[in-house]
Each structure stands twice: as structure tokens, then as C-alpha cells.
């Protein structure tokens, strides 16, 4: 039997159906919002995984192109590895639900959200958050705190809950808020320079919008939920914990209070070596438990340092930013480079300008089909002084690249203002906290160095949080470094300009954040952002006036859309000849916009001249220097524009009477002619007589 439960959210039905679906899964359900439907399956292992010191949760977001009536592109014609968008959506679900599982839970859990139907008004990625939590709530997996997600838009000063497709196009804000009954769990935001007060109000609006969905999940759990399993939670042997703490407590505290990062790490390596050597025989085979105790000891020292001593590991004030340096024009032949250093975090971003034909084509279930501006992020092992195989970008790299891309996207000039495809690549050279936001700063430098007329410079900063065990004490930190991120409770990234916020991403290890923390982080981030932008302006006060000589020159002309066929020619014969003769790239849009690009500026000018000649209309009253193409007894045919000719009647060849056309002109002659008429059939009548200079007329 299939069980069904529904509610109404923002005027649309949200429904869950389960019971006779995916019968072998712990829980499987069709969860729909309007006509957008996800099949969500959740399962867990029967026993904890041995030898791991983390919760092995995997979230898969699977897009099926049949959901939007598409057949996959390419030769194979089936879905392959997840798209970057799908990876980002899966990460958003993971970051939202992970902190809500019991601490110490080590069973493998898999959540699979399969997109099976998409209605453009209802985003599947938002539904996936609600689907995952709902399926987990009705399962026997020990997940008991429901979390909901909504999207918030902003149109004409009004907040919109789960805006439809048309509203999203008008909205100045693209905000996802995930919340439990009491706390904010996750935030993803992109905005057109939204001021801090408006953003805080939008987050509160989204929090309120989550509450009906949470009630819906609680009702589903109460009516149809399975009995929850009693979790087997990892706990360190009490005797082992006491022995290690008695032996190493003073050493750990002394090491962790060292300000210099390298010296602190060396001291902790020495502590670890002594601890393992001392307990090698007594606790053989329990190295994982010893590591757990040492981790908790370090975490405890850092919290005591911050909450009681009011001191950060490197000695900074809570709102103090590390030393910043900015450089541009770092590489000789790239189109633009920016090197941004903040403390021991260093990112080099390289900008590349291409023709508009080099846009990225997207094959997915979303509304976006192409991208003209791209940002990619690389995080090699050497950036943290480690040795690992070099592989393709993982989920983290894709996520950080997308975050920096979102931060700068509202500032990128339109195609008409700057007719280029833009790609940024951020190379993390050194990592000690917040490389994603350092890449925002490095990208701003690179764009300005490349001559991209961005709206305003942007910068990003990561805020952190340290709380007491009872959550009664909390301190928000500006510009967190690695140790504060590793042992802290929050990574709150905010990017934007002096005017407002362009992106936010928030993760937490706690079961949610208070509004006091959210508000403090957003407001303190503004002060930090403005300070960093000042440093950027000192380095490069505005975009370079010219793009690099190594970048293509791109020019735009507008032609009558009816003339496009004349530029292309039969089978592309004409346009290919122009490209061959000039060495340019030519892109033509349906509205008649023509983009011509090449590193050879003379070639661009020549190609434009040819295209203008092909598409220019003959105008009555205009004088042209034409070429005689044919002679007849009654006159001469003259080509006045490419592929456009008219007739000079014998009576119009000269002021005096002309007996033979050959007496005045020959085939191949270039003569001045004036357009006297274009008849109803489009035939062009020309006059040499009316185009002759006065002196020549008098001489004749």
C-alpha cells in the first residue's frame, strides 16, 4: 500500500508518497513539489565501519535528463558522471544534514536523490534538501531532527518564498536557507550587492518559511515512520582516555599556545611521537582511539584559549585580519594575473579572455544552458605541504570554484560592454584558512589586470565560531586560519563589494547557529571586506585601459538579421572565405549581432569592413565608387557594394550625348555613381552624370 501525505508551501503542493516504492531500501519515497519529483532512497550499514574516525555519510544527487524531456548529448547517449551543478547540489544536502546525526555515529549512511521530473518553477535542488530529511525521518536510521530548505527571492523590496522561474529572473537575491525548528543550519546566497540589513532580514524570512516544512516532516514521522534503531556510538575507552590525558595534557597545552604555526606543528608532532611510544604496548591496536583523545585535547585547549584567555592561536584580536599583500601582472604572457596573500594563505588567479564562441555549454536539468564567465579552483597537495597523487578536481574544488564564481558574477560586464568569454583559474599556492575567499580577492586582481571593466572590486572573508560545550558562550572570529577552522564550529564565508553582499556560504558542525551569530558574522564581515578592498585598490585602482596584447581583440557590429544569410553564404562559403583571408573568429547571433575577434587587430578591421560591405544597404542619393562589371548597348552595370549592382543608363553616363557605352567606360573601370532610384522590384538605377564633379561637367 502506498502512503501519501501533502501540505501547501508558498501556494504549491508538497507531497510525499512511499510504502510500495523501492521496497528493499530502508526508506524510499517520491517527494514532489508541484510537478518536480525526486525519488529519494536512504540506507545504512548494519554495523559501524571499522577503523574510521569520521561519520561515513555519502549524499548522491543524480540528474536524469528524461526529467526535462532531453536525450543526453554526445556519442554514448546516456548520463555519465554527475555535472558540476549536480555535485554542488549534493554537497548542499550533505552540509545540511550531516551535523544532525548523533555524535560518534560511524555506520555508513547513503542518501540518493534522483531527479525524475522537473518543472522549471520548482527547483529540484531545493526539494532535495527536504526530500533527504523527510526520507531519513521516516526511516529507522537514527536521524531525529528534521531540517527544511527554502529559497528566498527579492523583488521590488519584497521577499518571495520559493520564487517561480519568472520571479527568479527579476530577483536581486538568490538565497537558500536551511533550518531546524530553532537554528539556522546552512546558507547559500548569491546577490546583486545586497546590503547587510536586508540579507539578515531575508535569512530570517527564510527561517520562518522552513517551519511549515518541518511540521510536515514531523507529521510524516508520527504517522508512517519506522521505529528508530538504537545507534552504536563510538566511545574512547575511559582508562585509555585518562592515561593519555594524564600523560600529555601539559605537553599539549604548551604546544598549542605556541604562536608560530610551524613551531606549533613541530611541537605537536613531538607530543604525538612521545604519546604513541609511551602507550605502544599497553594499547596496541588502539591507535585510532589515541588520536581521538589527542584531537579532543587540542580542541579543548583552543576553546579555552579563545573563550577564557580571549586570545587567538596566532595572537590576533578577534576582529583582526592577517597581513595582506596584493600583486598584479605576475606572469608575462597571460591576459591577467593576480596574486593575493593573507597570512600563510596565498592564491594566484589567472584570467583568460576568449571569443564569445568559447562559452561553456551546459547539459543538465537546470534552466542555464551556457556560461560566458567561468571560475575554476585548484587545490594541490603542495599547498598544505603534503604529498598526494595529482587527480582531477574533487567535490571541494568544484564547490570552492563555484562559490568564487558566484561572488563575482554580478560584477562582470555584459557581453555588449565587454565582448569576451572570461575564464578565471585560481591556483592555491599555500593554504592556511579560507582559500575560497582568497580566490575571490585574487580573481578581482586578475580581472582588473586583464582590463575587464567590472562594476566594482570584490573581496571575500571567512568568519569562524568557537562555542563552549554548553553553547552558552560563543565568540565570532574574523579571518579564520586553519587551526580555527579545524577545531572551530563554523565556516561563514561572505564576499561582496563596498556596496553590498554578492555571495554567502555557511557550514556548521553544530546543530545550528543562533541569529545572534548570523547577524554578528555578516556585519563583522563587512568591515573586513572593506579593509581588503582598500588593499586591492592600493595595488590596482581600476581596470587596465587596454586588454593584453596577447588577448584577442573583439569588435561588435550590428547587421540586419535578414542579411545574416549573405554573410554566411551557401554552405558557409562566404564566412569561411572571410575567416581564411583575415584569420579571425566570427560569431553571429540571431538578432544580427556579429562578434569578430583575433589577436591580429588589422585582421579584425579588415573582416569588419568586408562584413559591412556585404550587409550595407544601397541608399538613394548616396554616391559610391563602383566597378563596371558588364556593358550592354543600353548602359553599364556597376557593382556599388559587394554583390550589389545597378544600371547606369547610357543617357546617364555623361553630361553630353553618348553614342556608345564603350566610348565612356570599360569593364573593370572604377567610376563614381549616384543612386537615383530603387524601383519596386529592388532594381537600382545609377547616374554617373549626377556624380561627376562640377569642373568635370563644365569640361565636358
Amino acid at each position: 500500500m502506498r502512503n501519501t501525505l501533502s501540505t501547501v508551501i508558498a501556494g504549491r503542493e508538497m507531497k510525499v508518497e512511499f510504502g510500495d516504492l523501492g521496497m528493499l531500501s530502508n526508506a524510499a519515497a517520491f517527494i514532489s513539489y508541484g510537478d518536480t519529483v525526486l525519488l529519494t532512497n536512504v540506507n545504512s550499514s548494519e554495523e559501524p565501519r571499522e577503523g574510521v574516525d569520521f561519520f561515513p555519510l555519502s549524499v548522491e544527487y543524480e540528474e536524469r535528463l528524461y526529467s526535462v524531456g532531453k536525450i543526453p548529448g554526445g556519442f554514448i547517449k546516456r548520463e555519465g558522471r554527475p555535472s558540476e551543478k549536480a555535485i554542488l547540489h549534493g554537497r548542499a544536502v550533505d552540509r545540511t544534514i550531516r551535523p544532525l546525526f548523533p555524535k560518534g555515529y560511524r555506520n555508513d549512511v547513503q542518501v540518493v536523490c534522483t531527479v525524475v521530473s522537473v518543472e522549471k518553477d520548482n527547483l529540484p535542488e531545493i526539494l532535495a534538501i527536504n526530500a533527504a530529511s523527510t526520507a531519513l525521518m521516516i526511516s529507522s536510521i537514527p536521524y531525529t531532527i528534521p531540517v527544511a530548505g527554502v529559497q528566498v527571492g527579492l523583488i521590488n523590496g519584497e521577499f518571495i518564498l520559493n520564487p517561480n522561474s519568472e520571479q527568479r529572473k527579476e530577483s536581486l537575491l538568490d538565497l537558500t536557507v536551511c533550518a531546524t525548528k530553532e537554528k539556522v543550519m546552512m546558507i547559500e546566497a548569491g546577490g546583486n550587492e545586497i546590503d547587510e540589513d536586508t540579507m539578515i532580514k531575508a535569512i530570517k524570512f527564510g527561517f520562518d518559511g522552513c517551519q511549515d516544512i518541518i511540521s510536515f516532516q514531523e507529521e510524516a514521522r508520527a504517522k508512517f515512520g519506522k521505529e528508530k534503531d538504537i545507534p552504536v556510538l563510538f566511545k574512547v575507552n575511559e582508562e585509555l582516555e585518562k592515561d593519555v590525558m594524564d600523560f600529555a595534557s601539559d605537553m599539549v597545552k604548551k604546544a598549542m599556545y605556541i604562536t608560530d604555526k610551524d613551531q606549533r606543528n613541530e611541537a605537536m608532532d613531538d607530543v604525538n611521537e612521545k604519546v604513541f611510544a609511551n602507550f605502544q604496548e599497553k594499547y596496541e591496536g588502539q591507535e585510532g582511539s589515541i588520536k581521538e583523545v589527542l584531537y579532543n585535547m587540542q580542541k579543548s585547549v583552543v576553546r579555552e584559549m579563545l573563550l577564557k584567555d580571549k586570545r587567538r592561536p596566532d595572537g590576533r584580536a578577534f576582529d583582526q585580519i592577517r597581513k595582506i599583500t596584493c600583486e598584479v601582472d605576475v606572469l608575462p604572457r597571460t591576459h591577467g594575473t593576480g596574486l593575493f596573500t593573507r597570512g600563510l594563505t596565498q592564491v594566484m588567479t589567472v584570467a583568460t579572455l576568449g571569443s564569445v564562441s568559447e562559452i561553456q555549454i551546459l547539459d543538465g536539468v537546470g534552466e542555464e544552458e551556457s556560461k560566458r564567465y567561468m571560475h575554476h579552483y585548484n587545490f594541490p597537495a603542495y599547498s598544505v605541504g603534503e604529498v598526494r597523487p595529482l587527480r582531477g578536481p574533487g567535490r571541494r574544488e568544484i564547490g570552492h570554484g563555484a562559490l568564487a564564481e558566484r561572488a563575482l558574477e554580478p560584477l562582470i560586464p555584459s557581453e555588449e560592454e565587454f565582448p569576451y568569454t572570461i575564464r578565471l583559474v585560481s591556483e592555491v599556492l599555500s593554504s592556511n584558512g579560507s582559500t575560497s575567499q582568497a580566490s575571490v580577492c585574487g580573481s578581482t586582481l586578475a580581472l582588473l589586470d586583464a582590463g575587464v571593466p567590472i562594476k566594482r572590486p570584490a573581496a571575500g572573508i571567512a568568519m569562524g565560531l568557537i562555542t563552549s560545550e554548553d553553547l552558552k558562550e560563543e565568540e565570532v572570529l574574523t579571518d579564520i586560519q586553519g587551526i580555527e577552522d579545524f577545531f572551530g564550529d563554523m565556516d561563514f564565508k561572505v564576499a561582496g563589494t563596498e556596496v553590498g553582499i554578492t555571495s554567502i556560504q555557511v557550514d556548521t558542525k553544530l546543530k545550528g547557529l543562533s541569529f545572534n551569530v548570523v547577524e554578528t558574522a555578516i556585519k563583522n564581515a563587512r568591515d573586513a571586506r572593506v579593509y581588503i578592498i582598500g588593499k586591492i585598490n592600493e595595488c590596482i585602482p581600476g581596470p587596465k585601459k587596454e586588454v593584453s596584447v596577447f588577448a584577442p581583440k573583439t569588435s561588435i557590429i550590428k547587421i540586419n538579421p535578414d542579411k545574416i544569410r549573405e554573410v554566411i553564404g551557401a554552405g558557409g562559403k562566404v564566412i569561411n572565405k572571410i575567416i581564411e583571408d583575415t584569420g579571425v573568429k566570427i560569431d553571429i547571433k540571431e538578432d544580427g549581432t556579429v562578434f569578430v575577434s583575433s589577436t591580429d587587430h588589422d585582421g579584425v578591421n579588415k573582416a569588419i569592413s568586408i562584413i559591412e560591405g556585404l550587409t550595407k544597404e544601397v541608399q538613394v542619393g548616396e554616391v559610391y565608387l563602383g566597378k563596371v562589371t558588364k556593358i550592354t548597348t543600353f548602359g553599364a552595370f556597376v557593382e556599388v557594394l559587394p554583390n550589389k549592382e545597378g544600371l547606369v543608363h547610357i543617357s546617364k553616363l555623361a553630361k553630353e550625348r553618348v553614342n556608345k557605352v564603350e566610348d565612356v567606360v570599360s569593364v573593370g573601370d572604377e567610376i563614381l555613381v549616384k543612386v537615383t532610384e530603387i524601383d519596386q522590384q529592388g532594381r537600382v538605377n545609377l547616374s554617373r552624370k549626377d556624380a561627376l564633379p562640377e569642373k568635370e561637367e563644365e569640361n565636358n
Side-chain angles (χ1 to χ4, degrees):
M1 185 182 90
R2 186 173 302 181
N3 300 305
T4 302
L5 187 68
S6 65
T7 188
V8 175
I9 305 296
R12 283 155 277 177
E13 183 183 44
M14 181 177 287
K15 183 170 66 174
V16 57
E17 300 176 68
F18 58 93
D20 58 358
L21 296 164
M23 287 80 75
L24 296 181
S25 289
N26 190 308
F30 277 139
I31 301 182
S32 61
Y33 190 45
D35 285 344
T36 295
V37 184
L38 270 69
L39 171 62
T40 305
N41 298 69
V42 298
N43 289 283
S44 67
S45 61
E46 293 184 4
E47 302 292 336
R49 191 197 295 188
E50 291 289 336
V52 299
D53 58 358
F54 61 92
F55 169 39
L57 168 69
S58 66
V59 176
E60 309 296 336
Y61 181 92
E62 296 287 314
E63 294 178 330
R64 297 291 186 254
L65 289 184
Y66 57 69
S67 65
V68 288
K70 289 183 182 179
I71 294 175
F75 181 76
I76 298 175
K77 296 299 179 187
R78 70 168 296 160
E79 291 87 355
R81 69 186 298 269
S83 67
E84 289 195 359
K85 287 288 187 184
I87 290 170
L88 296 174
H89 300 332
R91 274 172 53 87
V93 176
D94 186 307
R95 289 160 35 217
T96 301
I97 64 176
R98 183 179 289 273
L100 298 175
F101 285 85
K103 187 177 181 181
Y105 189 56
R106 301 286 168 83
N107 294 55
D108 282 276
V109 173
Q110 185 178 53
V111 178
V112 182
C113 298
T114 308
V115 181
V116 294
S117 177
V118 175
E119 176 191 12
K120 64 180 182 179
D121 284 340
N122 302 307
L123 296 175
E125 57 264 34
I126 303 297
L127 181 59
I129 296 164
N130 300 304
S133 182
T134 303
L136 286 166
M137 286 294 289
I138 62 178
S139 75
S140 66
I141 298 169
Y143 174 97
T144 58
I145 303 174
V147 64
V150 296
Q151 188 184 36
V152 178
L154 176 62
I155 302 175
N156 297 325
E158 297 291 328
F159 296 125
I160 309 294
L161 186 66
N162 291 347
N164 61 33
S165 178
E166 290 302 315
Q167 290 171 329
R168 289 196 296 272
K169 292 175 185 177
E170 296 179 41
S171 178
L172 298 177
L173 175 66
D174 176 10
L175 169 66
T176 299
V177 179
C178 301
T180 64
K181 267 187 172 181
E182 299 175 349
K183 300 282 184 74
V184 174
M185 284 303 305
M186 197 273 288
I187 301 170
E188 284 272 5
N192 191 358
E193 299 182 287
I194 307 299
D195 68 84
E196 281 69 21
D197 288 339
T198 299
M199 185 65 79
I200 291 166
K201 290 176 183 176
I203 293 169
K204 289 180 178 179
F205 179 84
F207 175 86
D208 293 338
C210 288
Q211 300 310 307
D212 287 341
I213 303 173
I214 291 170
S215 298
F216 173 66
Q217 293 182 37
E218 289 177 331
E219 184 180 356
R221 167 73 193 146
K223 289 184 176 179
F224 308 114
K226 295 181 179 180
E227 183 179 351
K228 291 292 183 182
D229 296 334
I230 298 174
V232 177
L233 305 179
F234 173 80
K235 288 185 179 180
V236 175
N237 177 285
E238 290 184 5
E239 182 182 356
L240 180 151
E241 183 177 35
K242 184 177 184 303
D243 285 348
V244 173
M245 290 182 68
D246 289 344
F247 178 79
S249 181
D250 290 341
M251 291 190 293
V252 169
K253 186 169 184 177
K254 183 178 179 181
M256 295 302 290
Y257 267 75
I258 296 174
T259 301
D260 183 82
K261 178 180 182 290
D262 290 336
Q263 293 178 16
R264 182 171 62 244
N265 288 343
E266 288 177 10
M268 275 308 305
D269 288 342
D270 184 56
V271 172
N272 288 333
E273 187 176 328
K274 289 178 179 178
V275 169
F276 282 107
N278 188 72
F279 295 107
Q280 185 175 8
E281 292 185 10
K282 184 174 182 179
Y283 295 114
E284 185 179 359
Q286 298 187 56
E287 289 80 6
S289 293
I290 294 174
K291 286 181 181 179
E292 184 86 9
V293 175
L294 286 169
Y295 169 81
N296 289 334
M297 290 170 67
Q298 293 174 75
K299 185 174 181 178
S300 178
V301 170
V302 170
R303 289 175 184 274
E304 179 182 342
M305 184 190 309
L306 286 157
L307 295 173
K308 292 184 179 178
D309 298 346
K310 305 299 180 183
R311 174 187 180 279
R312 296 178 74 169
D314 60 359
R316 281 182 293 146
F318 286 176
D319 61 352
Q320 186 177 353
I321 300 171
R322 290 169 287 175
K323 181 183 176 182
I324 288 173
T325 59
C326 302
E327 295 179 54
V328 294
D329 201 20
V330 179
L331 302 176
R333 294 185 70 89
T334 57
H335 301 165
T337 49
L339 182 65
F340 180 82
T341 307
R342 183 175 57 225
L344 292 176
T345 292
Q346 186 177 65
V347 174
M348 179 178 69
T349 301
V350 180
T352 305
L353 307 178
S355 66
V356 294
S357 63
E358 295 179 275
I359 60 172
Q360 181 182 9
I361 304 301
L362 305 176
D363 190 14
V365 303
E367 294 176 280
E368 190 180 29
E369 296 182 347
S370 65
K371 285 203 301 187
R372 172 178 157 258
Y373 158 65
M374 298 158 275
H375 186 284
H376 298 138
Y377 166 102
N378 295 318
F379 189 89
Y382 63 71
S383 66
V384 288
E386 295 179 358
V387 178
R388 288 197 304 271
L390 295 177
R391 296 191 175 93
R395 291 190 170 202
R396 181 178 182 276
E397 284 87 347
I398 291 170
H400 281 11
L403 179 59
E405 183 176 292
R406 173 177 267 194
L408 289 159
E409 190 170 18
L411 310 174
I412 299 295
S414 68
E415 194 174 75
E416 290 71 29
E417 295 173 283
F418 193 71
Y420 291 91
T421 295
I422 304 166
R423 180 183 184 233
L424 298 176
V425 179
S426 289
E427 305 284 359
V428 179
L429 307 185
S430 178
S431 173
N432 186 31
S434 189
T435 54
S436 68
Q437 298 310 286
S439 70
V440 174
C441 303
S443 297
T444 296
L445 291 168
L447 288 167
L448 294 172
D449 189 46
V452 181
I454 57 175
K455 191 175 180 180
R456 265 177 287 276
I461 195 74
M463 311 297 292
L465 175 68
I466 294 290
T467 61
S468 60
E469 289 296 327
D470 59 6
L471 302 181
K472 291 183 179 179
E473 294 180 84
E474 53 190 26
E475 289 287 355
V476 174
L477 310 175
T478 297
D479 181 24
I480 55 172
Q481 58 181 317
I483 187 174
E484 294 165 336
D485 186 10
F486 189 62
F487 294 118
D489 298 314
M490 173 184 81
D491 188 3
F492 199 122
K493 307 179 183 82
V494 186
T497 67
E498 291 179 320
V499 174
I501 296 168
T502 55
S503 76
I504 294 179
Q505 186 180 87
V506 180
D507 299 322
T508 178
K509 300 172 189 175
L510 303 172
K511 290 179 169 55
L513 302 173
S514 68
F515 276 110
N516 177 61
V517 167
V518 172
E519 187 169 346
T520 301
I522 288 176
K523 290 189 174 180
N524 288 1
R526 172 176 172 75
D527 296 335
R529 190 171 74 243
V530 171
Y531 172 79
I532 298 169
I533 289 171
K535 294 291 185 181
I536 291 173
N537 287 334
E538 288 175 12
C539 175
I540 180 166
K544 288 185 175 178
K545 293 182 180 179
E546 298 287 340
V547 299
S548 166
V549 294
F550 301 111
K553 176 190 176 184
T554 300
S555 293
I556 303 176
I557 58 172
K558 278 274 193 180
I559 65 173
N560 186 329
D562 295 336
K563 300 291 182 180
I564 292 175
R565 66 172 71 91
E566 297 181 24
V567 177
I568 295 174
K573 183 178 180 181
V574 175
I575 194 170
N576 288 334
K577 183 68 167 61
I578 299 172
I579 292 170
E580 182 182 345
D581 291 346
T582 62
V584 303
K585 288 184 178 180
I586 300 174
D587 302 292
I588 305 177
K589 296 201 166 184
E590 292 181 358
D591 65 355
T593 304
V594 182
F595 299 88
V596 182
S597 61
S598 173
T599 52
D600 179 2
H601 293 195
D602 290 337
V604 171
N605 295 333
K606 182 179 177 182
I608 287 175
S609 177
I610 295 171
I611 293 169
E612 286 178 337
L614 288 169
T615 58
K616 191 174 180 181
E617 298 285 352
V618 177
Q619 300 290 329
V620 174
E622 289 289 321
V623 175
Y624 297 92
L625 178 63
K627 187 175 183 179
V628 179
T629 59
K630 181 181 178 183
I631 290 176
T632 68
T633 57
F634 53 83
F637 286 92
V638 179
E639 186 180 59
V640 293
L641 290 173
N643 299 321
K644 295 180 177 65
E645 62 181 23
L647 174 66
V648 182
H649 192 268
I650 191 170
S651 64
K652 300 291 185 180
L653 278 173
K655 189 73 172 176
E656 73 281 4
R657 179 182 174 83
V658 176
N659 294 319
K660 290 178 63 179
V661 174
E662 293 89 337
D663 292 340
V664 181
V665 295
S666 301
V667 173
D669 286 353
E670 289 188 344
I671 61 173
L672 287 172
V673 291
K674 183 175 183 178
V675 181
T676 58
E677 180 190 21
I678 301 175
D679 67 20
Q680 291 182 345
Q681 294 179 331
R683 293 177 299 193
V684 179
N685 293 319
L686 306 171
S687 171
R688 178 176 177 271
K689 179 174 65 176
D690 293 333
L692 288 173
E694 292 295 328
K695 288 183 180 180
E696 186 172 337
E697 286 188 18
E698 289 172 5
N699 292 336
N700 287 338

